[in-house]
Every structure is written in structure tokens, then in C-alpha cells.
């Protein structure tokens, strides 16, 4: 199924990226070509094949619940776009209402 | 003397250091001088750390003078792809969204380089978040191929390959998600290895696609590549996907350089049609040389490899869309308020910041990944790709039941011209067709120079693949082939690269 421009706008919104109208137009054309090519996977004979999400068999790794050295708050905040009182300062998160 | 020093192999540099014929400060300064002279042409570096590198060199010289027991590569300088975190040195991942960010911690690979006493010269250029096959998607401008400055050095690790090919560093660290160590190595006449997935820690590597990414060594010879591989490999408790097993004896294998009695498999799906004539010719000759050295050649059939490119370009964007969600303008990186909005919400700031901070290729892949994972399309795209990934891994398992290593050309063509494929993503993606299967299955791969293509005089590469955790086989075969080729050429391939004159090309 071909993507529409509304689809691209919706996907950009889900991905939290503001795209200009021109960017959306360009993206629509490029994604169409890419999706046509990757749709090839649907022709592979995969009946009864177990999906493989990772090249290694993964097991949960835990460590002892003991304190160990970590970043200081100054180090953790060192790349913050804005900070206040040793905390990250962020824009409004809750809506007015 | 300066030029001579930078043209030595890392192994020779290590030997000169151990006998105190040269100091690490002299060696490091020689490389910094070379960078000052030629990096304006090739743009391999995003950041050069003159003072830091010399301070590390002085420290190792002092330890040597004091008689300390040092690592074999102690004092040999190195460059690091700018996607690994480095204390005190900017880490941008080639993106505007991380411009100016200085990490408060080192990647484990970087920690191991520091522990080995290897001065870090600087951070090398890359496609933004390692998304690309040409280094043209770097937000800071492309790197160029030392063989022809109008051409790309490969990608995403074009900075790490070109820094080594232009004698600005004897060694570099790269990362390989779909071929970003091996393809640039092929296009610049250098050597690069993607270790077994989990063989080298990914802690501190800015993640692109976590189930595919793998850091590894870039160098000018197979032995140098092995020496660096041995420094960075091994279990790391900070990375839960790190393999807890002894590191394969890669240096010993490189020194052994023996293929007698080995069975090498040529992958049917990765030769012939779609491969440039000069690339295919050099590949066929290299395979014949291995036969001369005692190997037996068989053809292996890996039918699912025909789906590898499509599988990769569904799995990678899906993982990337998740990994790059952390660039939300809250804790680090760029924060851009949306235009014309009074008291914007966090969500609006996030969307505006990501639009301003990410380049076209990154946006394309995040949105593609968002689509592939979205309700209604998941089964047809991501779910199906995961099943095909299993088929590809099964093809490898069958192939390795009949052959000790597998061979193919590394890239289908030699280096193309800057701008040639920028507006055609699928044409760009096809450059990784031969390297991608190894990432999907987690097996190790190496690229080494196989010669120059007759039609354009540019480097071509041969790829060697081995079963997971058997990285040493790459080095045994690679070193044997390298010895045979260099004997035939009379000198290493890079001696035929044009001289770079001092200057600036922007």
C-alpha cells in the first residue's frame, strides 16, 4: 500500500520530528522507493521460521545490589541544555488543563 | 624523518618504541604534523587533540624510561571514530544534535586504548549516527578518498579509513553496523575487521542498531589490525551482550599466515552480476592466490542473502528509531524552541530540536523505522525481517559446515564520486550488499586490499568471513593472502596512492 502525505505527517508526529512541508514532500517520494525495495522480504519463504531478533542468545544479566562509583551530579548535568538547582531544567511537560 | 615515521606499520612503530629509537612524543608529533599538513584535503578528523595526545605520549615515555612493563602498542598513537564517548573530547556522532557535547565517561574501547598507553590523536569523521556508505551524511562535511579527492572514502567510517590511508594515524577505531569498517577499508586500500558480534564491548558506543553495531580495528596491514583487535576485544561487564569467553588468538593467527589445508568458500550470491568488472577480476585473482598457497576452493550457496539488503533496511531503521528517541532535548544535546510558540511544551521543543538537529538521512531512517514498527505493518515488515534474519543465519551455518571461511568482494564497486548517489538512497544502500549478511548473523568479517581496478585505478577489497568467535581464521587467511599479494605487487598497495600535497580543499 502506497504511503500518503498524511501518513508521512503522522509518522513524523509519532517520531517527534517537525518536518516542513517541503521535507514531507521529499520524504514521501524517497520512502516510497525504499518501501518498494524492502517489500522484497515478504517474498521470502518464512513459513514455520522462528524470528531472530538478535545474533546472540540473550539472558538477563544482573549484578550484586551494591554501591559502586558513578557520575557526580555535576558530571551528569554537564551536557544539559539547561539546569537549575542541580537538576535538569525542562520545558512544560503537563498541559494547561 | 617525519614522513618516514608516519609511513611505518604500527608493528614497526612499536618495535622502534621498545628499543627507544623513537619516543612516543616524536611519533605522536609526526602524526600531528602530518594532520596539520594534509587534513585540510581529506577532512578525516572532526576534532584533533594536539595537547591531549602529546600529554599521553609524554606519560608513556616516562613510564618506559622508568622501566615499567608496557603493552606492545604502548606509545603508538591512534584515532577514534567520533561515535565512541571520550572524556574531555567532543563526541558528536557526526550530528548537529550533539555538537559540542563532551561526555563525562569513556567508552570501554577507549578505556582499553588508554590502559594500553596509546595516545588518542583525535576523533574521526563519520556519516551522522553511522547512517551512510560515503561519509557524505556527516553534518560537518564529507571526508575524501586519499586516492582521488573527488571521490568518497566509503562510509560510515570514512574518517577512520581515510585517516589511516593518508598516514595521519597508523591505527583507528571504526564501527560496523552493515559494513562501515569493511566497505571504507576496501575503498581506501586499507584493512578493517568487524569482530564477532559481542567480541568487543559496545559500552560508550552511541547506538545506531544495537543488535548489529560492532566496534573494530582499522589499519594498513593484517598484523597491525590484529594487534589492535587484541587490545580492544574481550568481555566487559558493562555491556550485557559482551561475550564472556577468551579472545581468539588473532595476533598469533596473523603471524602464522597459513591457509594450507583450509577450505575457502566463494559465496555464489555475492559475486558476478552487479559487481564492477575490475572488482570481480581482482577478487578472482586473490582466490587463485589462496589456492596457490594450499587452500581448496568450493562454491557455497546462500540463497537467503538475496533478501539481506531488504532485511537490513527494515531491522536497522526499526532499532534506530528506538535508539535515537533519547535525543529529546532534555538532558543533553541541542535544545531548540519552536518558532512562534509561547511557552512551548516539552513535546514541541523535542520535535523542533529533532528537526533542527538531525540530517535528512537520519530523519528518513527514523520515520521508516517508525513505519515498520507501527501497528498494522509490524508483521509484514519488522516481524518478517526477523524471520528472514534467521534464514540468513541458517545459510551461514550451512556454509560453514563445508568451508572454514567464506569469501566475496567487499564492495560491488570502487569509490564513487562525491554527490553521485546522494539523491538516490537505494543506490547508496546497495554499496553494502556484500557486508550486511555478516552483521545480521553476528559473524566476523575482514576486508583487505585485493588490488586496483583496471578501469579506474582505484582500490578494491576482498572480504573474508568466519564463524562466530572464530575471528582468528580471518587473520590466518588475511595475512596469507596479504603476503602473497604484496609479494606480487612488490610493495604494499598504499605505496601506489598519490602523494597528498599540503593544502586546503573545502
Amino acid at each position: 500500500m502506497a504511503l500518503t502525505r498524511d501518513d508521512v505527517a503522522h509518522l513524523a508526529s509519532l517520531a517527534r520530528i517537525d518536518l516542513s512541508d517541503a521535507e514531507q514532500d521529499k520524504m514521501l517520494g524517497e520512502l516510497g522507493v525504499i518501501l518498494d525495495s524492502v517489500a522484497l522480504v515478504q517474498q521470502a519463504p518464512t513459513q514455520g521460521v522462528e524470528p531472530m531478533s538478535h545474533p546472540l542468545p540473550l539472558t538477563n544479566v544482573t549484578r550484586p545490589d551494591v554501591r559502586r562509583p558513578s557520575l557526580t551530579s555535576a558530571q551528569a548535568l554537564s551536557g544539559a541544555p539547561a539546569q537549575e538547582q542541580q537538576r535538569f531544567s525542562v520545558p512544560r511537560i503537563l498541559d494547561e488543563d | 624523518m617525519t614522513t618516514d615515521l608516519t609511513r611505518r606499520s604500527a608493528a614497526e612503530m612499536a618495535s622502534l618504541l621498545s628499543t627507544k629509537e623513537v619516543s612516543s612524543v616524536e611519533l605522536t608529533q609526526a602524526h600531528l604534523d602530518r594532520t596539520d599538513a594534509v587534513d585540510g584535503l581529506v577532512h578525516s578528523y572532526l576534532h584533533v587533540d594536539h595537547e591531549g595526545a602529546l600529554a599521553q605520549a609524554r606519560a608513556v615515555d616516562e613510564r618506559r624510561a622508568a622501566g615499567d612493563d608496557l603493552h606492545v602498542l604502548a606509545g603508538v598513537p591512534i584515532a577514534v571514530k567520533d561515535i565512541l564517548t571520550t572524556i574531555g573530547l567532543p563526541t558528536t556522532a557526526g550530528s548537529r544534535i550533539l555538537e559540542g557535547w563532551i561526555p563525562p565517561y569513556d567508552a570501554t574501547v577507549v578505556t582499553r586504548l588508554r590502559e594500553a598507553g596509546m595516545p588518542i590523536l583525535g576523533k574521526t569523521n563519520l556519516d551522522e549516527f553511522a547512517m551512510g556508505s560515503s561519509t557524505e551524511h556527516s553534518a560537518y562535511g564529507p571526508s575524501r578518498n586519499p586516492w582521488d579527492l573527488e571521490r568518497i572514502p566509503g562510509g560510515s567510517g570514512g574518517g577512520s579509513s581515510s585517516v589511516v590511508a593518508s598516514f595521519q594515524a597508523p591505527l583507528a577505531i571504526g564501527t560496523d553496523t552493515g559494513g562501515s569498517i569493511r566497505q571504507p577499508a576496501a575503498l581506501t586500500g586499507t584493512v578493517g575487521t568487524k569482530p564477532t558480534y559481542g567480541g568487543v564491548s559496545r559500552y560508550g558506543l552511541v547506538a545506531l542498531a544495537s543488535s548489529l553495531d560492532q566496534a573494530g580495528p582499522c589499519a594498513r596491514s593484517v598484523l597491525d589490525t590484529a594487534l589492535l583487535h587484541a587490545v580492544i576485544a574481550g568481555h566487559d561487564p558493562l555491556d550485557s551482550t559482551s561475550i564472556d569467553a577468551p579472545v581468539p588468538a588473532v595476533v598469533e593467527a596473523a603471524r602464522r599466515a597459513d591457509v594450507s589445508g583450509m577450505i575457502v568458500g566463494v559465496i555464489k550470491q555475492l559475486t558476478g552480476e552487479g559487481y564492477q568488472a575490475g572488482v570481480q577480476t581482482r577478487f578472482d585473482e586473490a582466490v587463485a592466490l589462496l589456492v596457490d598457497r594450499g587452500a581448496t576452493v568450493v562454491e557455497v550457496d546462500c540463497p537467503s542473502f538475496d533478501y539481506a539488503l531488504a532485511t537490513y533496511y527494515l531491522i536497522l531503521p526499526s532499532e534506530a528509531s528506538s535508539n535515537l528517541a533519547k535525543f529529546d532535548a532534555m538532558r543533553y544535546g541541542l535544545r531548540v524552541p519552536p518558532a512562534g510558540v509561547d511557552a512551548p511544551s516539552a513535546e514541541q521543543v523535542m520535535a523542533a530540536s529533532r528537526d533542527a538537529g538531525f540530517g535528512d538521512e537520519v530523519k528518513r531512517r527514523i520515520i521508516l523505522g517508525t513505519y515498520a514498527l507501527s501497528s498494522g505493518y509490524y508483521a509484514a515488515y519488522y516481524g518478517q525481517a526477523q524471520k528472514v534474519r534467521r534464514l540468513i543465519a541458517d545459510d551461514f551455518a550451512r556454509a560453514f559446515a563445508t568451508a572454514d571461511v567464506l569469501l566475496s568482494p567487499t564492495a560491488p564497486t570502487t569509490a564513487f564520486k562525491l554527490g553521485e548517489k546522494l539523491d538516490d538512497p537505494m543506490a547508496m544502500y546497495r554499496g553494502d550488499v556484500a557486508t550486511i549478511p555478516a552483521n545480521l548473523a553476528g559473524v566476523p568479517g575482514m576486508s583487505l586490499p585485493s588490488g586496483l581496478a583496471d578501469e579506474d585505478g582505484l582500490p578494491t577489497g576482498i572480504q573474508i568471513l568466519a564463524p562466530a568467535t572464530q575471528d582468528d581464521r580471518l587473520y590466518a587467511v588475511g595475512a596469507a593472502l596479504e603476503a602473497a599479494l604484496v609479494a606480487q605487487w612488490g610493495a604494499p598497495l598504499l605505496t601506489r596512492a598519490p602523494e597528498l600535497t599540503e593544502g586546503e580543499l573545502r
Side-chain angles (χ1 to χ4, degrees):
Chain A
M1 195 192 78
L3 277 182
T4 66
R5 202 166 175 287
D6 283 349
D7 292 333
V8 174
H10 178 58
L11 289 168
S13 145
L14 289 175
R16 305 280 188 268
I17 304 176
D18 276 343
L19 289 183
S20 67
D21 289 350
E23 280 182 310
Q24 286 183 21
D25 288 339
K26 188 164 180 274
M27 190 81 72
L28 179 61
E30 290 166 348
L31 286 179
V33 173
I34 296 169
L35 284 172
D36 282 349
S37 298
V38 297
L40 180 70
V41 295
Q42 288 155 9
Q43 294 172 23
T46 55
Q47 202 166 16
V49 174
E50 276 293 305
M52 175 177 161
S53 61
H54 202 271
L56 295 175
L58 291 179
T59 49
N60 198 16
V61 177
T62 58
R63 64 172 176 83
D65 186 15
V66 291
R67 286 189 189 185
R68 57 181 189 184
S70 66
L71 298 180
T72 64
S73 58
Q75 287 172 322
L77 288 163
S78 63
Q83 53 174 295
E84 209 177 311
Q85 297 176 351
Q86 282 203 305
R87 291 173 174 82
F88 294 101
S89 174
V90 302
R92 177 167 58 88
I93 289 172
L94 301 174
D95 286 333
E96 299 280 334
D97 50 13
Chain B
M1 179 66 178
T2 296
T3 304
D4 287 341
L5 264 185
T6 61
R7 285 175 181 262
R8 306 272 190 153
S9 70
E12 288 168 340
M13 291 179 195
S15 169
L16 290 171
L17 285 163
S18 69
T19 54
K20 298 184 185 169
E21 287 168 74
V22 68
S23 70
S24 179
V25 166
E26 286 174 278
L27 193 56
T28 303
Q29 187 64 56
H31 287 95
L32 292 169
D33 291 346
R34 173 75 178 165
T35 293
D36 290 344
V38 304
D39 202 49
L41 294 170
V42 285
H43 193 215
S44 303
Y45 280 111
L46 292 180
H47 319 283
V48 180
D49 187 18
H50 291 82
E51 283 181 24
L54 287 170
Q56 293 165 69
R58 270 193 296 277
V60 79
D61 283 341
E62 284 165 15
R63 287 175 57 200
R64 198 181 303 276
D68 284 6
D69 188 19
L70 299 176
H71 188 279
V72 64
L73 287 179
V76 177
I78 187 164
V80 175
K81 189 176 183 181
D82 196 27
I83 199 162
L84 288 120
T85 56
T86 39
I87 291 174
L89 258 184
T91 299
T92 68
S95 180
R96 290 278 175 220
I97 211 160
L98 277 177
E99 188 167 9
W101 182 56
I102 299 185
Y105 66 106
D106 274 336
T108 295
V109 166
V110 173
T111 302
R112 290 185 179 176
L113 298 177
R114 294 195 201 279
E115 286 171 354
M118 301 178 71
I120 295 171
L121 295 163
K123 306 294 289 290
T124 58
N125 199 7
L126 70 156
D127 284 297
E128 186 176 2
F129 289 108
M131 296 189 199
S133 308
S134 68
T135 317
E136 292 170 290
H137 291 302
S138 167
Y140 304 98
S143 295
R144 290 166 184 269
N145 194 317
W147 288 82
D148 178 348
L149 297 173
E150 295 302 311
R151 291 179 189 265
I152 59 109
S156 66
S160 288
S161 68
S162 62
V163 81
V164 168
S166 61
F167 301 98
Q168 299 186 69
L171 301 167
I173 299 294
T175 63
D176 191 312
T177 304
S180 291
I181 290 174
R182 290 162 288 158
Q183 181 256 20
L187 270 44
T188 57
T190 57
V191 183
T193 295
K194 180 197 92 70
T196 295
Y197 179 86
V200 173
S201 171
R202 284 182 302 107
Y203 177 77
L205 196 172
V206 180
L208 166 55
S210 309
S211 79
L212 303 163
D213 297 339
Q214 185 57 67
C218 309
R220 291 191 289 263
S221 75
V222 172
L223 176 60
D224 285 2
T225 312
L227 289 167
L228 180 54
H229 189 135
V231 173
I232 60 175
H235 180 244
D236 176 15
L238 298 176
D239 173 1
S240 63
T241 58
S242 162
I243 295 173
D244 191 1
V247 177
V250 292
V251 175
E252 290 80 349
R255 293 194 194 282
R256 192 167 68 242
D258 184 16
V259 289
S260 54
M262 286 183 93
I263 300 173
V264 299
V266 172
I267 304 167
K268 183 178 155 190
Q269 281 73 16
L270 299 182
T271 53
E273 195 185 341
Y275 289 79
Q276 187 179 319
V279 171
Q280 185 67 46
T281 303
R282 294 290 93 86
F283 173 73
D284 293 340
E285 290 168 358
V287 173
L289 278 179
L290 286 172
V291 174
D292 288 347
R293 294 262 167 154
T296 304
V297 177
V298 296
E299 183 180 80
V300 296
D301 191 13
C302 297
S304 301
F305 283 20
D306 289 341
Y307 304 104
L309 198 63
T311 303
Y312 176 81
Y313 278 103
L314 286 165
I315 289 174
L316 177 140
S318 299
E319 294 190 16
S321 69
S322 170
N323 274 324
L324 270 59
K326 64 175 164 282
F327 297 100
D328 57 7
M330 299 300 133
R331 289 145 297 152
Y332 51 85
L334 188 73
R335 179 181 290 180
V336 176
V341 182
D342 196 25
S345 68
E347 203 169 284
Q348 288 170 317
V349 170
M350 201 182 299
S353 301
R354 286 161 67 83
D355 181 44
F358 289 147
D360 289 348
E361 181 64 23
V362 173
K363 289 175 188 171
R364 196 154 48 222
R365 294 201 197 182
I366 289 175
I367 289 181
L368 180 62
T370 306
Y371 181 73
L373 292 175
S374 63
S375 162
Y377 299 101
Y378 180 94
Y381 287 114
Y382 184 69
Q384 177 71 0
Q386 283 193 319
K387 291 180 183 175
V388 183
R389 185 175 192 173
R390 171 83 59 196
L391 293 177
I392 290 166
D394 290 347
D395 274 2
F396 268 118
R398 270 192 301 275
F400 286 127
T402 58
D404 297 303
V405 294
L406 305 179
L407 303 174
S408 79
T410 309
T413 68
T414 55
F416 51 86
K417 290 196 169 166
L418 285 143
E420 198 175 303
K421 297 186 179 177
L422 258 184
D423 292 326
D424 187 350
M426 282 315 300
M428 185 78 86
Y429 297 172
R430 278 192 285 273
D432 299 333
V433 68
T435 47
I436 277 172
N439 299 80
L440 290 168
V443 304
M446 170 190 285
S447 177
L448 72 150
S450 55
L452 302 178
D454 292 330
E455 55 272 32
D456 52 24
L458 292 168
T460 64
I462 181 169
Q463 174 176 237
I464 307 166
L465 302 167
T469 73
Q470 307 294 311
D471 303 46
D472 49 333
R473 289 188 198 174
L474 304 176
Y475 289 95
V477 176
L481 181 56
E482 179 184 61
L485 285 164
V486 171
Q488 194 177 69
W489 300 328
L493 192 71
L494 266 178
T495 57
R496 284 199 255 168
E499 283 289 332
L500 291 173
T501 50
E502 297 190 16
E504 189 84 15
L505 183 81
R506 297 280 183 181

